[in-house]
Amino acid sequence: MMDFDPRVYENVSINDNDVRNIVLSYLVHNCFKETAEALLTGTGMQQSVNYLSDLDKRKAIFHFASEGDALRAIELTEQLAPKLLEQNEDLHFDLLGLHFVELVCSKKCTEALEFAQAKLTLFGKIQKNVEKLEDFMALLAYEEPEKSPMFHLLGSEYRQSIADNLNRAVLAHANLPSYSSMERLIQQATVIRQYLHQELGKDGPPPFSLQAFLKS
Amino acid sequence: MARPLTPHGNKDMIGSKGIIRRSEFVRIITKALYSLGYERSGAILEEESGIPLHSPLVDCFRKQVLDGNWDGSLATLNKISISDDVLKLASFMILEHKLCEFLEMDRVLDAVNTLRNEITPLRIKPKRVHELSTCIICPSLHLSLGSINGIKKSSSRLKLLNELQKVLPPALMIPEGRLEHLIEQALNVQREACYFHNSLDSCLTLYTDHHCREDQIPSQTTQVLQGHGDEVWFVQFSNNGKLLASSSRDNSAIIWEVREDGVLSLRHTLTGHQKPVLMISWSPDDCQLLTCGLEEVVRRWDVSSGECVQVYEKNGVGLISCGWFPDGKRFFSGVTDSSICLWDLDGKELECWKGQRMIKTSDLTITGDGKQIISMCRESAILVLDREAKVEKLIEENHTITSFSLSRDDQFLLVNLINQEIHLWDITGFPKLVMSYKGHKRSRFVIRSCFGGYEQSYIASGSEDSQVYIWHRGSGYLIAALPGHTGAVNCVSWNPVNPQMLASASDDHSIRIWGGTMLNLNHKEAYSNGVSHSNGKNVNDNELSL
């Protein structure tokens, strides 16, 4: 998999502190509070006091969002980061849509209808939201929404992506990086290898694959 | 319904050719009677003929739809023998209407249930299903429901019935207006087959087959205009048909006035050119005239005063054609160096297109919207250039092209060829040869042809055998070859406003005006042969000098 002479890698020195920061950033991003605290104590790293303070709250928000309890997620977000949703209309729309989907899934048709009329239709005034809105609304037409063409809206993958977006937005709101360094590094390596592969063709290194890298 | 004894025999097929089914014929008539409001007559016909307009099942279905008995109508629909696809489609339409009516009455939950439990399971038209869903929640997003709002229930249900009729097999419910449609088709066929149909006010009647008499085609000389001293090369009516301009080898052009009674009289003689005048072009508002001398200059004239307002020339080269731009503020002219110039009225050259070859005739024309320029680009090819899109279309012929003219609707081009054929090309989209016209004679000179008559259904052309030729455009059929001139006929022009007036210009120094034979009866009867002459002088109404 790796076509370079392994000795090339030996020449690159890595600062241990940098590595620890990378790990820490991952833990913080995904709200692993205890693990992060353990790492800090174990390595004796110095960090500012309120680095971990809002971690719990963010964890709760993420949890409710990925479970589909959008209203709770919204409530907590309002507490932790007021005005965040006002500034992120798309995100707000997605969260409300999540709630709508929940209502439809729990067969609460009337409630879903009323909720949609009260909250969702407002977003329909902007052209780019119309298609999304139609997809949500269309769920009502099906007795078994999971068998409809929009079944992906009910899946956990979709909820996960919304939760991720919310998490990033909260981090950004607190002026923290919205992507963990680990993610960024992997993305960086992939893009560069892809570029080289395109430029040099067969002469260059093959595209980066994380799976293959981990196995080797 | 009682089964009557029919004294007329009970033949299934009727009509002289035996291709019309009695049951179909009667049902169409019955439907027409009902449409006209003759309820009793319709009912009696159904009874007397024993042929009901609708089968009992269909009758029941119609009643259920009109009553809003949706479940009943769906059940009946299932009993009628139609294909599955049609059944689903019709059911969808009925349920959609049911949903809309619920929304009208604000019964939102009922609407949702109809959608979920009845419409969606049909598994057709998923996009529409989604639209309906959005409609329920957010009616303002979709205007498609607007058709229901504000219309009374009865008429909207009737509308539904009409829509259903289009979807169901036609034998089940007779389409609205079917009898009228069949008759209109027949009338159209008759009209198109009539070669002599050349009048604005000939109406079609059902009593006899439509057949115009030949007397509407210009076929007799009604006037001979003797204003020029040499061969007359070009003639053209103004856009409003009230004036005629002619140009001649005698270096002059003449403007003639068409009087109310159809007689022409000389208005102005336009002198000033030092060379034979090749071509004339009327401004879009008919107030100005452009004339072009042979490899010389272009002159602009004011029509009411007859004065030359401006002369346009190019140093070192001669101009060989001229034509107005549709906005009336610019004009183009062909030049002896194979280029084409666009001028503004002050004499400034705005644009210049270089050509490839030296061609004798440099006919040039522009479509009414100013977008396409049609010009000669090779001896046997015409270029149609779209100025905005920069797209070029080529009309290629096998022989040299001598002249061409554009139809009024800008869609067709009439091309005169050296081999004595006139070709009609459709230039919308990819150019297609549509028709050929033959019969006239052309061997040495430029002969021009034109569109004309009622709805430009005719083609007229000059000919070297001194006759004027007229063909029926659609069929290519030669209708007339009109004798009268004593020299080659160079150019013809059909009055755009009077489909029965045609002008021809000839080497015999004269211009002839042709009209339909019916017209001659209206002329002042001072002449035994029905022909009036007019020389170059202004003529008093009451006296004619022969």
Side-chain angles (χ1 to χ4, degrees), chain A residues 1 3 6 26 52 58-59 70 87 97 114 149 153 158 180 186 192 200 208 210:
Chain A
M1 188 62 231
D3 294 333
Y26 175 81
L52 302 176
R58 200 155 45 81
K59 185 171 178 179
Q87 290 161 0
E114 285 169 359
L153 292 174
Y158 176 73
S180 67
I186 299 176
I192 289 181
L200 304 172
F208 185 71
L210 185 57

PDB file of all heavy atoms in Angstrom, chain A residues 1 3 6 26 52 58-59 70 87 97 114 149 153 158 180 186 192 200 208 210:
ATOM      1  N   MET A   1       0.818  -1.195   0.000  1.00  0.00           N
ATOM      2  CA  MET A   1       0.000   0.000   0.000  1.00  0.00           C
ATOM      3  C   MET A   1       0.868   1.268   0.000  1.00  0.00           C
ATOM      4  O   MET A   1       0.610   2.203  -0.688  1.00  0.00           O
ATOM      5  CB  MET A   1      -0.906  -0.042   1.236  1.00  0.00           C
ATOM      6  CG  MET A   1      -1.957   1.035   1.276  1.00  0.00           C
ATOM      7  SD  MET A   1      -3.115   0.965  -0.073  1.00  0.00           S
ATOM      8  CE  MET A   1      -3.033   2.631  -0.622  1.00  0.00           C
ATOM      9  N   ASP A   3       3.964   3.061  -1.043  1.00  0.00           N
ATOM     10  CA  ASP A   3       5.027   2.844  -2.019  1.00  0.00           C
ATOM     11  C   ASP A   3       6.328   3.543  -1.680  1.00  0.00           C
ATOM     12  O   ASP A   3       7.320   3.381  -2.368  1.00  0.00           O
ATOM     13  CB  ASP A   3       4.544   3.319  -3.403  1.00  0.00           C
ATOM     14  CG  ASP A   3       3.404   2.428  -3.866  1.00  0.00           C
ATOM     15  OD1 ASP A   3       3.357   1.272  -3.448  1.00  0.00           O
ATOM     16  OD2 ASP A   3       2.554   2.933  -4.613  1.00  0.00           O
ATOM     17  N   PRO A   6      10.081   3.112   3.490  1.00  0.00           N
ATOM     18  CA  PRO A   6       9.699   3.396   4.877  1.00  0.00           C
ATOM     19  C   PRO A   6      10.672   4.342   5.573  1.00  0.00           C
ATOM     20  O   PRO A   6      10.279   5.059   6.486  1.00  0.00           O
ATOM     21  CB  PRO A   6       9.721   2.024   5.546  1.00  0.00           C
ATOM     22  CG  PRO A   6       9.514   1.059   4.441  1.00  0.00           C
ATOM     23  CD  PRO A   6      10.089   1.679   3.203  1.00  0.00           C
ATOM     24  N   TYR A  26     -10.120  15.420  19.547  1.00  0.00           N
ATOM     25  CA  TYR A  26     -11.134  14.436  19.174  1.00  0.00           C
ATOM     26  C   TYR A  26     -12.085  14.161  20.336  1.00  0.00           C
ATOM     27  O   TYR A  26     -13.296  14.105  20.181  1.00  0.00           O
ATOM     28  CB  TYR A  26     -10.445  13.133  18.719  1.00  0.00           C
ATOM     29  CG  TYR A  26     -11.441  12.035  18.442  1.00  0.00           C
ATOM     30  CD1 TYR A  26     -12.137  11.991  17.231  1.00  0.00           C
ATOM     31  CD2 TYR A  26     -11.734  11.061  19.398  1.00  0.00           C
ATOM     32  CE1 TYR A  26     -13.079  11.014  16.979  1.00  0.00           C
ATOM     33  CE2 TYR A  26     -12.677  10.084  19.151  1.00  0.00           C
ATOM     34  CZ  TYR A  26     -13.345  10.054  17.952  1.00  0.00           C
ATOM     35  OH  TYR A  26     -14.283   9.093  17.714  1.00  0.00           O
ATOM     36  N   LEU A  52     -13.475  22.217  29.490  1.00  0.00           N
ATOM     37  CA  LEU A  52     -14.380  21.076  29.521  1.00  0.00           C
ATOM     38  C   LEU A  52     -15.737  21.413  30.121  1.00  0.00           C
ATOM     39  O   LEU A  52     -16.591  20.557  30.254  1.00  0.00           O
ATOM     40  CB  LEU A  52     -13.751  19.949  30.372  1.00  0.00           C
ATOM     41  CG  LEU A  52     -12.387  19.453  29.904  1.00  0.00           C
ATOM     42  CD1 LEU A  52     -11.853  18.425  30.886  1.00  0.00           C
ATOM     43  CD2 LEU A  52     -12.519  18.817  28.531  1.00  0.00           C
ATOM     44  N   ARG A  58     -23.208  20.109  25.888  1.00  0.00           N
ATOM     45  CA  ARG A  58     -23.146  19.824  24.447  1.00  0.00           C
ATOM     46  C   ARG A  58     -23.448  18.347  24.190  1.00  0.00           C
ATOM     47  O   ARG A  58     -24.103  17.966  23.216  1.00  0.00           O
ATOM     48  CB  ARG A  58     -21.757  20.204  23.910  1.00  0.00           C
ATOM     49  CG  ARG A  58     -21.712  20.408  22.427  1.00  0.00           C
ATOM     50  CD  ARG A  58     -20.577  21.319  22.003  1.00  0.00           C
ATOM     51  NE  ARG A  58     -19.313  21.030  22.657  1.00  0.00           N
ATOM     52  CZ  ARG A  58     -18.481  20.077  22.282  1.00  0.00           C
ATOM     53  NH1 ARG A  58     -18.777  19.296  21.264  1.00  0.00           N
ATOM     54  NH2 ARG A  58     -17.352  19.886  22.948  1.00  0.00           N
ATOM     55  N   LYS A  59     -22.964  17.518  25.115  1.00  0.00           N
ATOM     56  CA  LYS A  59     -23.205  16.084  24.968  1.00  0.00           C
ATOM     57  C   LYS A  59     -24.698  15.798  24.987  1.00  0.00           C
ATOM     58  O   LYS A  59     -25.203  15.009  24.187  1.00  0.00           O
ATOM     59  CB  LYS A  59     -22.518  15.353  26.122  1.00  0.00           C
ATOM     60  CG  LYS A  59     -22.581  13.858  26.016  1.00  0.00           C
ATOM     61  CD  LYS A  59     -21.693  13.223  27.070  1.00  0.00           C
ATOM     62  CE  LYS A  59     -21.799  11.712  26.985  1.00  0.00           C
ATOM     63  NZ  LYS A  59     -20.948  11.067  27.975  1.00  0.00           N
ATOM     64  N   ALA A  70     -36.034  16.355  18.965  1.00  0.00           N
ATOM     65  CA  ALA A  70     -35.543  17.639  18.481  1.00  0.00           C
ATOM     66  C   ALA A  70     -35.925  18.792  19.390  1.00  0.00           C
ATOM     67  O   ALA A  70     -35.163  19.740  19.560  1.00  0.00           O
ATOM     68  CB  ALA A  70     -36.054  17.882  17.068  1.00  0.00           C
ATOM     69  N   GLN A  87     -29.484  32.406  13.966  1.00  0.00           N
ATOM     70  CA  GLN A  87     -28.474  32.695  12.951  1.00  0.00           C
ATOM     71  C   GLN A  87     -28.282  31.540  11.980  1.00  0.00           C
ATOM     72  O   GLN A  87     -27.666  31.696  10.938  1.00  0.00           O
ATOM     73  CB  GLN A  87     -27.127  32.998  13.620  1.00  0.00           C
ATOM     74  CG  GLN A  87     -27.151  34.317  14.351  1.00  0.00           C
ATOM     75  CD  GLN A  87     -26.031  34.409  15.358  1.00  0.00           C
ATOM     76  OE1 GLN A  87     -25.236  33.472  15.496  1.00  0.00           O
ATOM     77  NE2 GLN A  87     -25.952  35.518  16.065  1.00  0.00           N
ATOM     78  N   GLY A  97     -37.894  19.906  11.348  1.00  0.00           N
ATOM     79  CA  GLY A  97     -38.303  18.821  10.466  1.00  0.00           C
ATOM     80  C   GLY A  97     -38.160  17.476  11.163  1.00  0.00           C
ATOM     81  O   GLY A  97     -39.004  16.583  11.015  1.00  0.00           O
ATOM     82  N   GLU A 114     -50.749  19.930  12.661  1.00  0.00           N
ATOM     83  CA  GLU A 114     -50.799  21.247  13.300  1.00  0.00           C
ATOM     84  C   GLU A 114     -49.411  21.825  13.450  1.00  0.00           C
ATOM     85  O   GLU A 114     -49.184  23.007  13.204  1.00  0.00           O
ATOM     86  CB  GLU A 114     -51.480  21.126  14.666  1.00  0.00           C
ATOM     87  CG  GLU A 114     -52.985  20.966  14.538  1.00  0.00           C
ATOM     88  CD  GLU A 114     -53.632  20.590  15.852  1.00  0.00           C
ATOM     89  OE1 GLU A 114     -52.919  20.441  16.869  1.00  0.00           O
ATOM     90  OE2 GLU A 114     -54.869  20.443  15.858  1.00  0.00           O
ATOM     91  N   PRO A 149     -40.883   6.869  -0.497  1.00  0.00           N
ATOM     92  CA  PRO A 149     -39.607   7.259  -1.106  1.00  0.00           C
ATOM     93  C   PRO A 149     -38.739   8.118  -0.196  1.00  0.00           C
ATOM     94  O   PRO A 149     -37.566   8.302  -0.454  1.00  0.00           O
ATOM     95  CB  PRO A 149     -40.031   8.073  -2.342  1.00  0.00           C
ATOM     96  CG  PRO A 149     -41.427   7.701  -2.611  1.00  0.00           C
ATOM     97  CD  PRO A 149     -42.022   7.307  -1.310  1.00  0.00           C
ATOM     98  N   LEU A 153     -35.488   9.884   5.673  1.00  0.00           N
ATOM     99  CA  LEU A 153     -35.696  10.913   6.692  1.00  0.00           C
ATOM    100  C   LEU A 153     -35.974  10.299   8.068  1.00  0.00           C
ATOM    101  O   LEU A 153     -35.873  10.967   9.085  1.00  0.00           O
ATOM    102  CB  LEU A 153     -36.876  11.815   6.305  1.00  0.00           C
ATOM    103  CG  LEU A 153     -36.669  12.712   5.078  1.00  0.00           C
ATOM    104  CD1 LEU A 153     -37.953  13.434   4.735  1.00  0.00           C
ATOM    105  CD2 LEU A 153     -35.561  13.716   5.329  1.00  0.00           C
ATOM    106  N   TYR A 158     -29.676   9.826   9.058  1.00  0.00           N
ATOM    107  CA  TYR A 158     -30.114  11.203   8.842  1.00  0.00           C
ATOM    108  C   TYR A 158     -30.079  11.988  10.147  1.00  0.00           C
ATOM    109  O   TYR A 158     -29.571  13.110  10.212  1.00  0.00           O
ATOM    110  CB  TYR A 158     -31.521  11.192   8.234  1.00  0.00           C
ATOM    111  CG  TYR A 158     -32.121  12.557   8.052  1.00  0.00           C
ATOM    112  CD1 TYR A 158     -31.675  13.421   7.057  1.00  0.00           C
ATOM    113  CD2 TYR A 158     -33.157  13.005   8.888  1.00  0.00           C
ATOM    114  CE1 TYR A 158     -32.221  14.680   6.902  1.00  0.00           C
ATOM    115  CE2 TYR A 158     -33.704  14.259   8.725  1.00  0.00           C
ATOM    116  CZ  TYR A 158     -33.237  15.085   7.735  1.00  0.00           C
ATOM    117  OH  TYR A 158     -33.783  16.337   7.583  1.00  0.00           O
ATOM    118  N   SER A 180     -12.640  18.301  14.440  1.00  0.00           N
ATOM    119  CA  SER A 180     -11.508  17.850  15.250  1.00  0.00           C
ATOM    120  C   SER A 180     -10.283  17.741  14.355  1.00  0.00           C
ATOM    121  O   SER A 180     -10.395  17.487  13.151  1.00  0.00           O
ATOM    122  CB  SER A 180     -11.825  16.496  15.877  1.00  0.00           C
ATOM    123  OG  SER A 180     -11.912  15.511  14.866  1.00  0.00           O
ATOM    124  N   ILE A 186      -6.868  13.568   8.425  1.00  0.00           N
ATOM    125  CA  ILE A 186      -7.206  12.488   7.496  1.00  0.00           C
ATOM    126  C   ILE A 186      -7.703  13.069   6.174  1.00  0.00           C
ATOM    127  O   ILE A 186      -7.338  12.610   5.095  1.00  0.00           O
ATOM    128  CB  ILE A 186      -8.270  11.554   8.109  1.00  0.00           C
ATOM    129  CG1 ILE A 186      -7.716  10.929   9.377  1.00  0.00           C
ATOM    130  CG2 ILE A 186      -8.700  10.501   7.111  1.00  0.00           C
ATOM    131  CD1 ILE A 186      -8.711  10.073  10.125  1.00  0.00           C
ATOM    132  N   ILE A 192      -4.566  15.281  -0.618  1.00  0.00           N
ATOM    133  CA  ILE A 192      -3.254  15.426  -1.243  1.00  0.00           C
ATOM    134  C   ILE A 192      -2.921  14.205  -2.086  1.00  0.00           C
ATOM    135  O   ILE A 192      -2.445  14.322  -3.213  1.00  0.00           O
ATOM    136  CB  ILE A 192      -2.177  15.661  -0.174  1.00  0.00           C
ATOM    137  CG1 ILE A 192      -2.373  17.066   0.406  1.00  0.00           C
ATOM    138  CG2 ILE A 192      -0.792  15.503  -0.761  1.00  0.00           C
ATOM    139  CD1 ILE A 192      -1.370  17.437   1.437  1.00  0.00           C
ATOM    140  N   LEU A 200       0.039  12.632 -11.307  1.00  0.00           N
ATOM    141  CA  LEU A 200       1.134  11.778 -11.741  1.00  0.00           C
ATOM    142  C   LEU A 200       0.664  10.443 -12.299  1.00  0.00           C
ATOM    143  O   LEU A 200       1.447   9.685 -12.828  1.00  0.00           O
ATOM    144  CB  LEU A 200       2.091  11.516 -10.563  1.00  0.00           C
ATOM    145  CG  LEU A 200       2.651  12.790  -9.912  1.00  0.00           C
ATOM    146  CD1 LEU A 200       3.427  12.443  -8.657  1.00  0.00           C
ATOM    147  CD2 LEU A 200       3.560  13.512 -10.886  1.00  0.00           C
ATOM    148  N   PHE A 208      -5.458   7.730  -1.081  1.00  0.00           N
ATOM    149  CA  PHE A 208      -5.364   7.369   0.329  1.00  0.00           C
ATOM    150  C   PHE A 208      -6.597   6.601   0.766  1.00  0.00           C
ATOM    151  O   PHE A 208      -7.719   7.011   0.508  1.00  0.00           O
ATOM    152  CB  PHE A 208      -5.220   8.651   1.154  1.00  0.00           C
ATOM    153  CG  PHE A 208      -5.004   8.377   2.620  1.00  0.00           C
ATOM    154  CD1 PHE A 208      -3.806   7.846   3.058  1.00  0.00           C
ATOM    155  CD2 PHE A 208      -6.009   8.640   3.537  1.00  0.00           C
ATOM    156  CE1 PHE A 208      -3.603   7.591   4.398  1.00  0.00           C
ATOM    157  CE2 PHE A 208      -5.804   8.403   4.878  1.00  0.00           C
ATOM    158  CZ  PHE A 208      -4.590   7.874   5.320  1.00  0.00           C
ATOM    159  N   LEU A 210      -8.106   5.068   4.336  1.00  0.00           N
ATOM    160  CA  LEU A 210      -7.894   4.972   5.781  1.00  0.00           C
ATOM    161  C   LEU A 210      -7.912   3.519   6.240  1.00  0.00           C
ATOM    162  O   LEU A 210      -7.081   3.096   7.063  1.00  0.00           O
ATOM    163  CB  LEU A 210      -8.970   5.796   6.514  1.00  0.00           C
ATOM    164  CG  LEU A 210      -8.817   5.884   8.039  1.00  0.00           C
ATOM    165  CD1 LEU A 210      -7.466   6.467   8.405  1.00  0.00           C
ATOM    166  CD2 LEU A 210      -9.927   6.743   8.624  1.00  0.00           C
TER     167      LEU A 210
END
